[in-house]
Amino acid sequence: MLAAGHAAVDLYQGAVPALVPFLVLERGYGYVAVSGVVLAATLLSSVVQPLFGLLTDRWRMPWLIPVSMVVAGAGVAAGGVAGSYVLTCLAVALSGLGVAAYHPESARLARIASAGSHVRMSWFSLGGTLGFAAAPVLVTPLLAAWGLGASPLLAVPAVAGALVTLPAVRALTGGGGGTRREGARAVRGRDDWRSFTRLTLVIVFRSVVYVGLSTFVALYVGGGAAGAVALFVLFAGGAAGTVLGGRLAARWGRVRTMRLAYAAAVPAVAGVVLAPGPAVYVFVAASSIALYVPFSLHVTLGQDLLPNRVGTAGGVTLGLAVSVGGLTSPLVGAVAEASSLRVALACLVVFPVLAWLLARTLEEPVGA
């Protein structure tokens, strides 16, 4: 149930890039303008994510999970029918706020439900990845048939996801909500902020390349049906990588798996830029798999590095560090307008290199 809810809320992160070709077609937005919409969806989310993490470490807030899902859906639904560029940005920013509010508390409950298992946590993360993958499949046919005016229908998955998630929330919290979290830090180990900071930078580097690909790959392959296929391949490859990551971590450990994944991401992202014709889809899939193998591992590793601040760790690893990549999308758009999309995407290759180098400085937490 938690995985299904995660799919519903993360669908709206994937919906914003899926809106991009329609904003270009129907409203004439340029590369910088549409990357600004992506920025709006991630900026507010990035700023408030630590706050929600701190709040959920201090207070039990299970009610925040269904409410945030509805807010995320309402923002995207309004973004397609907003009457101006400013209102569009404000609407998708509201959606980003909902996504930000969802992740810290849901990550805490997922940790309880998974009993610390890397494989089980990967299934929770898989839900979010499938939500990303479902976005172009849902958004593109709907808007291709009826235009941006049909975007209010995109609120339906949020309401459905909230209804599905409620029984799981009640089961894991005993129906409680809003009560102070007493003695939560008494029996846990020491928080390793230095290692957690390095892990956060790894996730930021991953986020830059992944958000850059998700924002521009549809336009890079020509938009329309080809663009929808590219986005689906990107997001679906992430689903495969998420499941694979949990299994590899159970065998090799999280940090080793992370290092191998980022090493593999370097040639995969380079292949997106260099591959001719339909071969680009193979490298889009390979890039997504490599970038998503460590995705759920970031969450459990971050929570083990900050055992006294599980909500904060979940908010940062599932939310803040992931959404920060959207802050760089206007720069990628500016490079694309100044030169070409090929050059802009080529600039992304450096970031998996940086993630790999920094991941080599991390170690498994003692006793994890």
Side-chain angles (χ1 to χ4, degrees):
M1 290 178 180
L2 288 175
H6 197 188
V9 78
D10 275 6
L11 181 146
Y12 297 102
Q13 293 196 75
V16 175
L19 285 174
V20 163
F22 297 96
L23 294 173
V24 172
L25 179 64
E26 295 189 28
R27 299 184 185 176
Y29 292 170
Y31 292 144
V32 173
V34 293
S35 60
V37 173
V38 177
L39 173 63
T42 57
L43 180 59
L44 183 60
S45 177
S46 299
V47 171
V48 303
Q49 196 92 229
L51 174 61
F52 282 113
L54 291 171
L55 288 174
T56 56
D57 279 331
R58 187 174 181 85
W59 300 86
R60 294 180 62 189
M61 304 175 70
W63 56 269
L64 195 58
I65 293 177
V67 169
S68 63
M69 295 169 71
V70 173
V71 170
V76 167
V81 294
S84 69
Y85 181 74
V86 172
L87 289 177
T88 299
C89 290
L90 289 175
V92 297
L94 177 67
S95 180
L97 178 64
V99 172
Y102 171 84
H103 283 107
E105 186 70 0
S106 67
R108 183 184 69 83
L109 294 185
R111 183 179 177 88
I112 295 172
S114 65
S117 166
H118 305 322
V119 174
R120 293 175 188 170
M121 184 61 90
S122 74
W123 285 103
F124 170 70
S125 298
L126 174 64
T129 308
L130 291 177
F132 267 103
V137 177
L138 175 65
V139 173
T140 300
L142 178 69
L143 300 189
W146 292 296
L148 288 171
S151 62
L153 294 174
L154 296 174
V156 173
V159 176
L163 293 175
V164 168
T165 303
L166 276 173
V169 173
R170 291 196 183 101
L172 291 168
T173 63
T179 57
R180 189 178 180 90
R181 204 184 299 282
E182 299 288 353
R185 303 179 186 177
V187 296
R188 294 173 182 162
R190 183 176 60 87
D191 293 332
D192 185 352
W193 283 102
R194 181 174 297 181
S195 295
F196 184 78
T197 300
R198 292 199 296 267
L199 174 66
T200 300
L201 288 174
V202 169
I203 303 171
V204 168
F205 293 145
R206 174 218 176 260
S207 176
V208 170
V209 62
Y210 188 79
V211 173
L213 287 174
S214 65
T215 302
F216 294 107
V217 74
L219 294 173
Y220 179 68
V221 300
V229 171
L231 279 177
F232 178 76
V233 169
L234 182 74
F235 297 156
T242 302
V243 175
L244 181 62
R247 297 188 179 279
L248 291 179
R251 176 176 296 183
W252 294 341
R254 291 171 294 186
V255 173
R256 183 184 178 193
T257 300
M258 191 186 310
R259 293 170 182 166
L260 292 172
Y262 286 122
V266 177
V269 175
V272 173
V273 179
L274 300 174
V280 68
Y281 294 107
V282 176
F283 286 97
V284 168
S287 297
S288 184
I289 291 171
L291 291 170
Y292 260 95
V293 161
F295 186 66
S296 66
L297 312 183
H298 295 153
V299 181
T300 59
L301 185 59
Q303 290 175 331
D304 285 341
L305 290 171
L306 298 186
N308 300 303
R309 301 180 186 273
V310 172
T312 299
V316 171
T317 54
L318 268 177
L320 171 63
V322 175
S323 60
V324 159
L327 304 182
T328 65
S329 59
L331 296 177
V332 179
V335 172
E337 289 196 345
S339 53
S340 68
L341 266 179
R342 181 182 293 272
V343 172
L345 293 179
C347 293
L348 297 178
V349 177
V350 69
F351 292 99
V353 175
L354 294 174
W356 173 72
L357 290 172
L358 201 53
R360 288 174 60 85
T361 70
L362 294 172
E363 301 292 340
E364 288 283 348
V366 176

